Amino acid sequence: MRSYSRKYEIVFEEARGTLVWDADGREYMDFLAGAGSLNYGHNDPDMAEALVAHIRRGGIAQGLDLFTRPKMEFLETFEGLVLEPRSMDYRIHFTGPTGTNAVEAALKLARKATGRRNVIAFTNGFHGVSQGALAATGNRDHRMGGATVSLPDVTRLPYDGYLGGSVDTSELLERVLSDPSSGVDAPAAILLETVQGEGGLNVASRPWLRRVAAIAKANGALLIVDDIQAGVGRTGSFFSFEGMGVTPDLVTLSKSISGFGLPMSLLLIKPEFDVWKPGEHNGTFRGNAHAFVTARVALEKFWGDRSFQHEIERSSALVGERLARIARLVPGATVKGRGMMQGIDVRDGDVAAEICRRSAQRRLIIESAGPKDEVIKILAPLTTSEQILNRGLDILEESAAAGLHAVA
Amino acid sequence: MRSYSRKYEIVFEEARGTLVWDADGREYMDFLAGAGSLNYGHNDPDMAEALVAHIRRGGIAQGLDLFTRPKMEFLETFEGLVLEPRSMDYRIHFTGPTGTNAVEAALKLARKATGRRNVIAFTNGFHGVSQGALAATGNRDHRMGGATVSLPDVTRLPYDGYLGGSVDTSELLERVLSDPSSGVDAPAAILLETVQGEGGLNVASRPWLRRVAAIAKANGALLIVDDIQAGVGRTGSFFSFEGMGVTPDLVTLSKSISGFGLPMSLLLIKPEFDVWKPGEHNGTFRGNAHAFVTARVALEKFWGDRSFQHEIERSSALVGERLARIARLVPGATVKGRGMMQGIDVRDGDVAAEICRRSAQRRLIIESAGPKDEVIKILAPLTTSEQILNRGLDILEESAAAGLHAVA
Amino acid sequence: MRSYSRKYEIVFEEARGTLVWDADGREYMDFLAGAGSLNYGHNDPDMAEALVAHIRRGGIAQGLDLFTRPKMEFLETFEGLVLEPRSMDYRIHFTGPTGTNAVEAALKLARKATGRRNVIAFTNGFHGVSQGALAATGNRDHRMGGATVSLPDVTRLPYDGYLGGSVDTSELLERVLSDPSSGVDAPAAILLETVQGEGGLNVASRPWLRRVAAIAKANGALLIVDDIQAGVGRTGSFFSFEGMGVTPDLVTLSKSISGFGLPMSLLLIKPEFDVWKPGEHNGTFRGNAHAFVTARVALEKFWGDRSFQHEIERSSALVGERLARIARLVPGATVKGRGMMQGIDVRDGDVAAEICRRSAQRRLIIESAGPKDEVIKILAPLTTSEQILNRGLDILEESAAAGLHAVA
Amino acid sequence: MRSYSRKYEIVFEEARGTLVWDADGREYMDFLAGAGSLNYGHNDPDMAEALVAHIRRGGIAQGLDLFTRPKMEFLETFEGLVLEPRSMDYRIHFTGPTGTNAVEAALKLARKATGRRNVIAFTNGFHGVSQGALAATGNRDHRMGGATVSLPDVTRLPYDGYLGGSVDTSELLERVLSDPSSGVDAPAAILLETVQGEGGLNVASRPWLRRVAAIAKANGALLIVDDIQAGVGRTGSFFSFEGMGVTPDLVTLSKSISGFGLPMSLLLIKPEFDVWKPGEHNGTFRGNAHAFVTARVALEKFWGDRSFQHEIERSSALVGERLARIARLVPGATVKGRGMMQGIDVRDGDVAAEICRRSAQRRLIIESAGPKDEVIKILAPLTTSEQILNRGLDILEESAAAGLHAVA
């Protein structure tokens, strides 16, 4: 069941920011960042400090869903620094501390709120591998893991751009929902990522998102944005859908929300859809107080003003430019993605694998994504300095050139 | 979605061992222990120390499924202190760090390994609330949470004792599996808890477990023991099935495995059933290194010799005796459970709720379980001193007498 | 896909009553009777006459669900001769003209009427092989036919007597429905045969049926009696549940309802549960007017007074006595069933097959049923004369003795 | 549950060819023709004659799946007049005698043969309402009939022309099947009608059909043509897919196959996919010998040479021309369909209903189809004389003009 570890037969030991050291003291640059769960890099000193202080004082670690001070403080900070400045009104549900659990909770709630069963999900979407979430996940290997069971109650439709630039795929969505004979049942929810991380850095356009949101509304379906990978600053803003002109009914957050890589998830719920009964969707680890501590510090440190967003913008521009240059080294390659969630589609999984392998030899940890793992994906911490970003991209550039020849 | 917190409108702040303090410095005894995830009590000082040291040195926190030093050390320790002394041969799969995820992984693997779909689960079983696990969970409120979706591919059969002492329910299991016209499809797995924690402290007998294990084997089904609540010492031994004469094919562990209440789960797999392909059942938080650190210390501190088991035995005896006395205060009440997982069935959820409420007023945190929440359940940390145990049980005794009158 | 035809490599040509002739003029006795669809024997002359007259006059043959004279006349006759004398108040829904379709309609209607999904069905039940009905059918070979799809939303419970005489299986039914943690969801319907034809002639007792009916009522579930094989006189009365003290909410009829072996099915619906919208469960062949013509004649000829029922009683007694004698020839064999739906359980499918094979050689067409095809089943036309009954049973008796030795 | 009968509160009594008479002797023209099950009109005299002779001689009526003379003769005739002249090699499986049952059998067999679960079906497809078939049917009212159950294991894709003339929808089919991350699982089958009868007379083009067939083959999926409504001459040739350059792996036939409106269905199976075990998909009424008798006569009378096809061609041309003229009376109306399966899309279900109602008053029985019942569909018997066709179309023309004003 190891996947990343098969490629890196190294024992990692210490880490700080974008750098990681193995047991022999060798230094690596980490452009994978806990699969997007380390947007602020490894072991941020302020979070570490706060967490150590919490432990030292005997602060509660596991609080179930009871009120604990770290939880209250996180909630206040999230309200004050995230929701209020964006004029958002959401209730916060701490689900089991994994992304797949947040998705399970979102689907359950949407179905309960609407009394409907069907959920619209999109080609190349990734939403987790527990059974309910897996039904919405596109990846065949994951879907076949459980082999023998059906994954019902999800209708799959083409994501923005799936049929090329000339076909607006939201047309089909609208058509099947307005046609009483389409065979697509009225949906409880439309579930999407604004940028498909695992799916290969496919980006939904603003007009497409707005149209999909309008279709959801017109059809009585909840719009769920799965912001587990694209959220918490990855695309440049706290939520990936900011500036897109849409307000999701439910939002899933996980991965980087704790700031420190600790397991934590939450579901944002528009108040009118908070139809949970007490304890209906429960779980032992909903009250991971260590994660609440670091999550609060992360918000205070990075989201109190707009300077962090400007920093991400600068880094994104740098990454975009460098990737464009690197893409020219690989015939047919293109740059995909948005913000600090960009990469190069080299159109061939073997080529991508070879480039990643060569990068790893040069001590750059980097991974590929996409249906055939053909998109080399930069998920560097958002806090990575310009210097280290350039250093990593230099390695990628060398590996791309080399990699190409090796395969050809 | 709050369940526990509805009952305790208190902000908890600090905790040590069995004691918890709220924001105003009031002290509580915790006989809920993180719903069984704090078997060693809150904030064990040795684990805290090791964790602080790890953080201080910049030890990696989130390692995905990469090799990290804390993971390697945990694996070695688990092998050396748990598996080897018990002559057990299991592979260890770190699933997403929640119990429900471990169950999802177990069911998926059993289905893949056998090419079958159906899973036998039992009345009053609890295995989690993500969709795959939920299908195996008996609780109606949880099942109805997602309301509109089917929960297929599980056959429900009566647990040991479900039809009273005179009916051996394993008879029905054997019958339906040997009858080609029973309507019960050949199962991939038989999934059970040896003591049903949420289901009301129902205890499976050794002969029943042995017979069920034999039936599983005879029918080509994997035996999965869900040891999430009953494992890690709760019933007296590390695994709840020790001494029962059965060797499960798959075992799920979670809750107390980290020792510190941190999210962590694992699935033990007999080597012959480890049919995973790389990355087939993945998840971001499988490499929670903080949990690996405390989990290792927990094993070293408590499972290096048999003294801790003896301690649990003594506490269990004490709890059993005191509960028997308390049960006599409530007409019709009986003691249920095994080890440090015992309780009183007062046959009425309102009576149980009232007793718990009164206990809470006296600063004893305690919860009920069972189909109608009619079983008051002692889940005190296994490390609770005799003195505190008695103090808590004194409160329970007072509340039981008082509670009864209040309702009557 | 041939099943019966594999055993009888004969081309059948003509038939009258209980007798059938092959292409070479050889005469057979038919104790299979169209798998129970020829309760009045082959080619009843009055029905034949009426059908020929209908065709000759250009009477409509296929009327969809339009009003046609044959349909109106059948409805009036059914009302007058079947429902009124029994003080029954049912609406009649002509479903697609097969038993499985009537079951599909019944399950659909029960689910719609209750807003629930789950259906209780029993071990060894047989209700058809289209997907919805198949979910309720117990037979493994049939269930595995579609191999890869789930058959959800049915809970399987033990039929009367399934665990031997000392266990009242309705206890388990009651228990799981009253236990909110049993894992058995509130049912839309309880679906049963009063005598399980394909399941091996298992007979539900009057007390069990009454208790199950009471449990259904108490739990808001519809009681559906599948009377496709046991109805239309097979057990002695028109409906198999007459005299049992139960009034089903829905009743499926098919097989012998047309009287002539023509495809026809209907669903009886208590008026309060007739929640269909127009055309919701449709089908091209619901208006098989030929079948309506013969069905009307059958009712007029056989159900205008009680003489036919007395005839069945006499035949049933004869069959019962002779079978008891034959059973003594086979060690361990027992007589099972009720009315003209009796047989011998020889406890071994190979023995039963051999006996049937020998009977066929002696020109008696007879089949076995049960989980392992171990029950030789007499489904002779109800109109079979005493002489022919005895002749057939003589052959069975000879074959039983012979058959036993052959296998032993 | 009445649908057609709600509109025609008339008791039909006799019928011949395209004409039907009610109980008061009023004559109607039947352009509905048993929903396409009376392609040769009502009560063809040669079939009637043969059927009467069969009944008179005591010919077997109900033969289960045993060999009977009528079945053998039908099989020989079908082989000789249908399969051989078209160089087709199919095995014939008599399923339960309804279209939905043939579809259930086809899906079951495809899943068994491939070991896969998923089936591709198309928008606006209609394949029946039993649960397995219903999953493939697009119509929302039918799908919602069973309300509470899921209809899994079908992926819905847009039919030819669904997104207008400029989008080739087979592109999406090809894309999702070649993309391992599309979320569309490898299909057991692609199920389609070449002309969607209930779906509104949508016609698949030859290139689209060929491409879909090629995609099926390339992806290891069986191509199933549901020819229940479009087959048996309706589009001009015996099978609707003749001349399309595709050879389906499975073909379902029903409706008009008996020639007389009697219930009968069959599944044609390419020999390599005949993986049934004996009795796996069974049913009581598979041996409807009356239907076999008339079905044989129908083949002999109409399919011995090409004259009937030429007749259909002439009638189709006539219908097409007249409909084009009628369509001009209704703003925005267009002619749809192929062969004797044409109609007018008036773009408004109320307009269509009004036109049908007016036609009914003028004694023309005619129905509408399509997602919103907006397509008036001519399903006149293929044997309808030019004179009667014109008479019926005159009525439709008058009603169309009148109908339009009434609504406007």
Side-chain angles (χ1 to χ4, degrees), chain D residues 342-364:
Chain D
Q342 295 186 73
I344 309 177
D345 181 349
V346 297
R347 302 183 175 263
D348 183 323
D350 292 334
V351 171
E354 176 62 18
I355 293 172
C356 291
R357 208 184 54 76
R358 301 235 164 170
S359 299
Q361 285 173 338
R362 291 168 167 90
R363 308 219 182 130
L364 174 69

Side-chain angles (χ1 to χ4, degrees), chain B residues 349-368:
Chain B
D350 291 334
V351 171
E354 176 61 19
I355 293 171
C356 290
R357 207 184 55 77
R358 300 238 166 170
S359 298
Q361 285 173 339
R362 290 167 169 89
R363 306 219 185 131
L364 173 69
I365 300 170
I366 192 167
E367 274 295 334
S368 58

Side-chain angles (χ1 to χ4, degrees), chain B residues 90-91 93 109 249-250 267-271 273-274 276:
Chain B
Y90 286 116
R91 297 219 181 128
H93 172 200
L109 187 61
D249 299 304
L250 304 176
L267 176 62
L268 302 180
I269 305 170
K270 275 198 187 160
F273 299 119
D274 185 11
W276 290 122

Side-chain angles (χ1 to χ4, degrees), chain D residues 6 32 72 91-92 124 136 172 206 210 229 245 261 316 366 377 382 384 401:
Chain D
R6 296 196 165 235
L32 172 55
M72 306 311 274
R91 297 221 181 126
I92 298 170
N124 304 137
L172 180 57
R206 193 175 191 272
R210 285 174 59 85
Q229 184 160 147
S316 301
I366 192 166
K377 182 165 73 164
L382 308 180
T384 308

Side-chain angles (χ1 to χ4, degrees), chain A residues 117 122-125 137-141 143-144 147-153 156 158 161-163 167 171-172 175-186 199 370-372, chain D residues 117 122-125 137-141 143-144 147-153 156 158 161-163 167 171-172 175-186 199 370-372:
Chain A
R117 207 164 42 224
F122 292 95
T123 50
N124 303 136
T137 286
N139 186 283
R140 192 169 291 171
D141 284 344
R143 294 174 67 85
M144 291 296 112
T148 50
V149 299
S150 290
L151 297 170
D153 300 323
R156 186 75 44 179
Y162 194 71
L163 291 170
V167 180
E171 197 85 45
L172 179 58
R175 186 71 209 282
V176 295
L177 293 187
S178 64
D179 174 358
S181 210
S182 68
V184 175
D185 298 328
K372 291 163 184 167
Chain D
R117 208 164 42 224
F122 292 95
T123 50
N124 304 137
T137 286
N139 186 284
R140 192 170 292 172
D141 284 345
R143 294 173 68 85
M144 290 297 110
T148 50
V149 298
S150 290
L151 297 168
D153 300 322
R156 185 77 44 180
Y162 194 71
L163 291 170
V167 180
E171 197 85 44
L172 180 57
R175 187 69 210 282
V176 294
L177 295 187
S178 63
D179 174 358
S181 209
S182 68
V184 175
D185 297 327
K372 291 162 182 167

